[in-house]
Amino acid sequence: MDREKLIEEAAKAKQFAYVPYSGFHVGAALLCSDGSIVTGCNIENSAYGPTNCAERTAVFKAVSEGKRSFEAIAVISDREEYVSPCGVCRQVLAEFCGPELVVLMCGRDQTYRETTLGELLPFSFSL
Ligand code: THU
């Protein structure tokens, strides 16, 4: 797995973030099991609630293209500190990924902390 390439793709996706309310740009890149990479950015809304995080944009794009098996996700923002997926995105990832999914939480300089979905969302809910 080329972690640096995945992070680079997340950083590129960040430029498309639609963030008129928070000004907080986030990009995500999902490595699919077929080797392809699907990216996403956060897309905000004046009603706030419909805002979609970068991670979910990437997952929904991938699933809508018939991809449901994933190896890793990288997420990056404008902040110096590593950005960590929100609780809703963790649950959405858990719908399609096992606890072994690699999660790369990046700072804006593309350094990262590596973890797994299992560490971020232990005892996840499923039907
Ligand atoms: N956001 C993400 O895109 N991913 C996260 O994991 C955390 C939050 C977005 C949502 C909103 O557009 C902005 O960051 C501030 O919460």
Side-chain angles (χ1 to χ4, degrees):
M1 182 190 309
D2 187 342
R3 287 165 170 73
E4 279 68 30
K5 159 114 177 113
L6 196 62
I7 293 165
E8 182 62 38
E9 292 301 315
K12 278 197 252 169
K14 188 178 70 169
Q15 71 182 302
F16 301 118
Y18 174 74
V19 290
Y21 307 105
S22 74
F24 188 65
H25 298 74
V26 186
L30 195 57
L31 176 62
C32 307
S33 298
D34 65 4
S36 62
I37 292 174
V38 177
T39 60
C41 63
N42 52 334
I43 304 168
E44 298 187 342
N45 188 277
S46 59
Y48 294 4
T51 290
N52 212 56
C53 290
E55 298 92 318
R56 274 178 289 143
T57 302
V59 171
F60 294 152
K61 278 174 65 182
V63 172
S64 72
E65 293 169 7
K67 298 167 185 181
R68 294 184 186 172
S69 180
F70 310 112
E71 307 291 318
I73 188 167
V75 55
I76 190 166
S77 79
D78 290 333
R79 277 202 312 209
E80 194 180 328
E81 304 85 48
Y82 305 138
V83 61
S84 171
C86 81
V88 173
C89 289
R90 294 177 194 198
Q91 181 65 30
V92 167
L93 286 165
E95 184 69 27
F96 299 99
C97 313
E100 67 287 345
L101 179 82
V102 171
V103 180
L104 305 174
M105 304 184 294
C106 307
R108 67 167 172 244
D109 64 356
Q110 301 192 12
T111 56
Y112 61 92
R113 174 167 176 180
E114 181 166 337
T115 184
T116 62
L117 184 59
E119 276 189 321
L120 291 175
L121 190 66
F123 304 105
S124 69
F125 174 76
S126 64
L127 288 176

